[in-house]
Amino acid sequence: MAKRKIYKGFKPEWEQVPPKRDSFRSILKWGDPNEFKEPNECLFKLMKDKLGLSDDDFKTKHNLGEKAVPDTLGSPALPKKHVEFFESVCGKENVSIRGYDRMSVAYGKTMYDLYRLRENITENAPRAVLYPSSHDEIVKITDYCKTHKIPVYVYGGGSSVTRGVEAVKGGISLDMRKNFNKVIAFNETDQTITVEAGISGPALEKVLNEAEKNFGAKRAYTCGHFPQSFEYSSVGGWAVTRGAGQNSTYYGNIHDIVIGQTYVTPAGIIKSYGLPAHAVGPDIDELMMGSEGAFGILTHVTLKVFRLTKQNRRYFSFIFKDWQSARDAAREIMQNEAGHPSVFRLSDPEETDVMMKLYGVEGTPLETMMNMAGYKAHSRCMFLGWTEGEKGFARNLYRRVKKISRSYGGLFLTGYPAHKWEEGRFNDPYMRESLQDYGIIIDTMECSVTWDMMGRVHEEVRKFAKSRPNTVCMTHLSHAYEQGANLYFIFIGKFRDKEEYLDYQFGIFDNIMQAGASMSHHHGVGKMTAAWVEQSIGTDNLNIFRALKKHFDPDNIMNPGGTVGIDMTKAQRRKPKFAGRTWDNPAY
């Protein structure tokens, strides 16, 4: 593949050659190892300007993870008698004890996972990987594991950023991607689709977009759920982590879209009503969503589907003079009773400055015009998105968004920035691994806040984040509600090693908790954020999760090792070292 100059006077050696087969780097790459998105000229310049780097910092790569994954991973493969049983259930070709196969489902996509892959660290791999093909197979596997006390983990799309799939206690991992990915039923009358949990987001969306051909439907449909990890996420992963897609302000989070679920648990089969509403006790769907495999294995999901109305989209972009007026406009748009935009993304001043660089606005006559009108760097805020749905609804809401935004001093920038954002909205993860070759880390944390507390949480978390020298901390809200929104923090910096990175990341979590925000808005908890769960929600609330765990899984074989904080020991819980403090003053 030819390399092209991306920065005048210097061209770093970005990774463009597919990694060696069965190497740690082939696991490390986001999605298809042959897929590559090259960092552009503006991004390279940004890294130098904001992080205090020089060309020399991009001349040497380190810790590339190019070694072959050994078949012996420190933990032995599953005993032969267990392997033979699983082969009798799934077929010999659907059970593997190869080191590479075991490692490929051991880690998700946290930066800590990627650090370990680069350092050829093989901890917490399952002792065997199974590729089930049916619900009945999963029932037999679960019953056998219950009898023999074998830990069970589930791997969907592998896009977890919370250490959710890590086989801390060994056991087996069920990789749902290969065989458990079929459409079970499509009901146009009810506008629902039932699928196996391993189906990917793109596969589901393609099936729905082509519903006329696939099912003889009257029209095309959409799933309405598009997380950042969409291209390599699974429907089961969406449900068990209580995810939110980038269009959630219109379509809802996954708990708004799921209408039925089936779980295989050690206590038996759990199946929810599959009805639009009921008042028969607590809702089973709500009890199971967010359990992240700790109660059982999600096998089937019934989802609402929506009419595809892409042709009716109305794109908008505004620039506001400051963060306060931008937030006030966003709140009014959500509370004005005219409906909600589909994409709703408001960037704080630092993220807006970065967008101006990446979109090529900085230094142009357009920026000069903004400055003259009072929309100045380090204060201005970008708001972009689009409306969709029925043609009249989309048009009317678009007009309301424009009217409200202008009433709070918003300057209309046409729909161009929103189109540019849409073009690259799934590309960011592809950049992370290439930048990490040079020690540059891009990572994210998110939380839920009310409108009233948003300004304070933003200020307190950023105070810690920016106390580390030469570190970018961009913030935006991308999921909004009448009562509040999420805050999504993105930090970029050059880190010495994974220990320094973890200390900084944990400091951000400390300050999110200290500020009273939720510890997660849509990433889930996994085993990483679990250290803060009890402090965040309270012991009495966590005891409800523990009681459910004891009912569904009394022997603790389902995703054990700290998931959602349920079986976390006191020693594993986080003492908030940085709560209310800064990077340069971490004293207790």
Side-chain angles (χ1 to χ4, degrees):
M1 182 186 296
K3 296 180 180 179
R4 58 187 172 90
K5 184 181 290 186
I6 67 168
Y7 186 71
K8 185 176 180 180
F10 179 70
K11 178 175 63 177
E13 295 296 319
W14 302 111
E15 174 66 45
Q16 297 193 54
V17 180
K20 295 178 181 178
R21 191 172 184 271
D22 289 359
S23 68
F24 284 92
R25 190 170 185 84
S26 68
I27 300 173
L28 178 151
K29 296 291 285 184
W30 180 274
D32 181 355
N34 295 300
E35 184 70 35
F36 177 78
K37 307 291 190 210
E38 185 180 83
N40 62 29
E41 176 181 339
C42 293
L43 180 60
F44 177 49
K45 186 176 185 300
L46 176 70
M47 295 299 99
K48 293 178 63 178
D49 293 346
K50 293 291 186 180
L51 307 186
L53 304 178
S54 69
D55 288 347
D56 290 340
D57 291 298
F58 292 92
K59 290 180 179 178
T60 303
K61 296 181 179 181
H62 52 86
N63 289 343
L64 298 184
E66 293 180 327
K67 289 184 179 180
V69 177
D71 273 339
T72 302
L73 299 179
S75 60
L78 205 63
K80 185 177 180 180
K81 68 174 184 177
H82 297 322
V83 172
E84 288 176 345
F85 173 80
F86 292 132
E87 287 177 345
S88 73
V89 173
C90 301
K92 193 170 184 178
E93 70 281 6
N94 288 319
V95 179
S96 177
I97 57 173
R98 287 183 64 229
Y100 182 83
D101 293 336
R102 291 160 59 196
M103 273 309 301
S104 69
V105 298
Y107 298 153
K109 291 298 179 184
T110 74
M111 294 308 300
Y112 185 64
D113 297 338
L114 306 186
Y115 264 118
R116 288 182 290 175
L117 287 170
R118 288 173 176 276
E119 296 175 13
N120 309 314
I121 295 173
T122 60
E123 63 187 3
N124 300 337
R127 298 175 69 185
V129 184
L130 280 58
Y131 307 95
S133 301
S134 70
H135 174 88
D136 289 342
E137 288 181 7
I138 294 173
V139 171
K140 292 176 182 177
I141 292 166
T142 303
D143 287 344
Y144 186 85
C145 290
K146 176 184 178 182
T147 299
H148 295 275
K149 306 297 186 289
I150 299 172
V152 181
Y153 298 86
V154 179
Y155 192 91
S159 59
S160 169
V161 290
T162 63
R163 299 180 65 182
V165 299
E166 202 163 324
V168 175
K169 301 293 184 180
I172 63 171
S173 182
L174 308 188
D175 188 339
M176 310 294 252
R177 296 172 296 178
K178 181 180 178 182
N179 301 318
F180 202 68
N181 53 22
K182 298 175 284 296
V183 174
I184 302 302
F186 173 79
N187 188 320
E188 189 170 23
T189 301
D190 295 341
Q191 283 196 186
T192 62
I193 190 168
T194 302
V195 297
E196 293 175 334
I199 192 170
S200 72
L204 173 63
E205 185 66 8
K206 186 175 189 296
V207 164
L208 291 172
N209 288 175
E210 298 173 358
E212 293 159 292
K213 179 183 73 174
N214 294 327
F215 310 114
K218 297 177 182 178
R219 58 180 60 85
Y221 291 88
T222 178
C223 69
H225 189 81
F226 301 98
Q228 175 81 70
S229 60
F230 177 73
E231 293 173 306
Y232 298 99
S233 63
S234 69
V235 172
W238 298 349
V240 300
T241 59
R242 295 182 64 87
Q246 293 173 345
N247 299 65
S248 68
T249 302
Y250 178 75
Y251 292 105
N253 295 345
I254 195 63
H255 65 83
D256 300 305
I257 298 172
V258 167
I259 195 171
Q261 300 172 91
T262 301
Y263 286 80
V264 176
T265 82
I269 308 302
I270 304 299
K271 187 173 182 179
S272 64
Y273 269 106
L275 299 173
H278 72 85
V280 187
D283 192 279
I284 297 298
D285 280 318
E286 283 291 339
L287 288 178
M288 302 305 286
M289 274 189 285
S291 58
E292 302 191 33
F295 298 162
I297 302 165
L298 175 62
T299 61
H300 295 91
V301 190
T302 300
L303 304 167
K304 303 173 187 177
V305 300
F306 307 88
R307 298 183 181 190
L308 186 63
T309 58
K310 291 174 68 173
Q311 72 279 6
N312 296 334
R313 285 182 180 171
R314 296 293 187 99
Y315 294 81
F316 57 81
S317 308
F318 288 87
I319 198 83
F320 290 88
K321 291 183 178 179
D322 54 61
W323 180 230
Q324 181 66 58
S325 60
R327 297 198 322 268
D328 289 343
R331 177 171 55 83
E332 178 60 22
I333 289 169
M334 291 305 299
Q335 294 177 348
N336 89 113
E337 305 290 347
H340 301 149
S342 180
V343 167
F344 191 104
R345 189 179 179 97
L346 174 61
S347 298
D348 77 346
E350 185 160 4
E351 181 166 287
T352 298
D353 287 347
V354 170
M355 292 171 71
M356 292 295 173
K357 292 177 185 291
L358 296 182
Y359 291 171
V361 175
E362 188 178 68
T364 65
L366 177 58
E367 186 185 33
T368 301
M369 180 195 73
M370 287 183 192
N371 290 334
M372 292 176 63
Y375 301 87
K376 297 182 179 180
H378 315 311
S379 295
R380 61 193 174 208
C381 295
M382 175 77 77
F383 172 49
L384 58 81
W386 64 73
T387 65
E388 60 185 281
E390 186 274 329
K391 188 175 181 180
F393 170 83
R395 182 174 60 245
N396 181 65
L397 179 55
Y398 173 77
R399 290 171 177 168
R400 291 292 302 166
V401 168
K402 290 179 69 174
K403 182 176 181 180
I404 291 169
S405 296
R406 284 170 170 159
S407 72
Y408 285 91
L411 177 67
F412 184 57
L413 300 179
T414 76
Y416 174 76
H419 279 288
K420 291 294 292 183
W421 175 83
E422 183 184 21
E423 287 173 11
R425 67 170 170 162
F426 298 132
N427 287 350
D428 290 351
Y430 295 97
M431 306 291 189
R432 299 190 312 165
E433 284 69 57
S434 292
L435 290 172
Q436 196 182 4
D437 287 349
Y438 306 95
I440 299 170
I441 300 302
I442 303 177
D443 209 355
T444 62
M445 272 131 279
E446 35 80 58
C447 61
S448 177
V449 297
T450 65
W451 293 113
D452 186 57
M453 68 192 294
M454 185 182 294
R456 176 177 55 78
V457 174
H458 177 261
E459 181 180 355
E460 291 179 8
V461 174
R462 274 183 54 82
K463 180 181 178 181
F464 170 79
K466 295 298 291 182
S467 67
R468 184 180 187 273
N470 298 320
T471 303
V472 172
C473 179
M474 305 180 290
T475 313
H476 64 259
L477 67 88
S478 50
H479 309 271
Y481 313 89
E482 291 89 342
Q483 285 70 43
N486 75 316
L487 282 179
Y488 202 98
F489 298 95
I490 304 172
F491 67 83
I492 309 174
K494 187 174 176 67
F495 288 80
R496 181 179 61 253
D497 51 35
K498 63 180 180 294
E499 286 72 31
E500 183 186 18
Y501 153 76
L502 275 183
D503 215 21
Y504 182 74
Q505 182 199 56
F506 285 4
I508 293 178
F509 283 137
D510 284 346
N511 282 278
I512 287 174
M513 189 201 70
Q514 178 76 9
S518 71
M519 290 307 301
S520 175
H521 173 266
H522 59 270
H523 285 172
V525 175
K527 303 171 187 70
M528 182 177 70
T529 318
W532 290 266
V533 168
E534 188 161 1
Q535 300 172 63
S536 180
I537 69 171
T539 300
D540 289 340
N541 287 342
L542 183 59
N543 282 340
I544 296 172
F545 299 169
R546 289 172 174 148
L548 290 167
K549 172 74 168 177
K550 186 175 181 180
H551 168 76
F552 290 123
D553 180 27
D555 297 312
N556 192 25
I557 65 168
M558 308 306 298
N559 201 358
T563 303
V564 197
I566 292 173
D567 61 343
M568 180 161 279
T569 66
K570 287 185 178 180
Q572 291 173 312
R573 294 171 197 160
R574 169 75 174 174
K575 185 175 182 180
K577 176 180 179 181
F578 288 106
R581 299 174 176 85
T582 56
W583 179 257
D584 54 358
N585 183 24
Y588 286 93

